Amino acid sequence: MTTTSSADQLFIKVLAQGSLLIGLIATVGSVVGYFVDSQKGVPSALIGASLALVFTSLTLASVLIGRRLSLAGFFGAVMGGWLVKLIGFGFVVGFLARAEFINGPVLFFTLVAAILGSLAIDTIAVLSARIPLVEG
């Protein structure tokens, strides 16, 4: 029988709540995007929400990997994940800037809403977590 630690429970909670929020933002963004620009609005909202979900998941993955390492390994994993996200975001934005099937404002506002919502969920989850300093 495997028990999950308090930190693992926190990560599961953050991933589940973040996924739910990003799904809701994708739905609302798609509806708004449809009314703003029917052919370009819906894919733009879905791409924006998907990007936020991928980057949130990469953050959680880098922290999960890093927490099993030494302190230097932890910082290396988190910084490595940050660099992967930064470079990946640059490539994606470079590609999407030239794409004709994108409505820029819908993509931007969906992405911003998803990122701010994810940050709020992360903050609330960490502040309300009860993680002991020593697990036994």
Side-chain angles (χ1 to χ4, degrees):
M1 181 168 149
T2 306
T3 60
T4 57
S5 69
S6 299
D8 290 338
Q9 291 172 357
L10 175 67
F11 289 130
I12 291 168
K13 179 181 176 181
V14 167
L15 187 58
Q17 289 179 347
S19 299
L20 178 65
L21 174 77
I22 291 172
L24 289 172
I25 289 173
T27 303
V28 171
S30 294
V31 170
V32 171
Y34 178 78
F35 288 116
V36 169
D37 186 357
S38 61
Q39 290 186 343
K40 295 179 182 179
V42 175
S44 299
L46 293 175
I47 290 171
S50 299
L51 282 173
L53 180 63
V54 167
F55 289 132
T56 300
S57 300
L58 283 174
T59 299
L60 283 173
S62 68
V63 172
L64 277 172
I65 291 168
R67 69 181 269 254
R68 297 184 189 336
L69 304 173
S70 66
L71 185 60
F74 172 80
F75 285 119
V78 171
M79 288 302 294
W82 182 79
L83 283 173
V84 166
K85 289 189 298 185
L86 183 67
I87 292 168
F89 187 75
F91 281 124
V92 170
V93 168
F95 170 74
L96 292 176
R98 290 181 250 116
E100 296 195 17
F101 61 91
I102 295 296
N103 181 304
V106 172
L107 174 70
F108 174 77
F109 287 115
T110 304
L111 192 56
V112 168
I115 289 170
L116 291 177
S118 295
L119 288 174
I121 286 175
D122 291 350
T123 302
I124 291 168
V126 169
L127 290 176
S128 65
R130 303 223 184 268
I131 299 176
L133 294 176
V134 178
E135 289 196 39

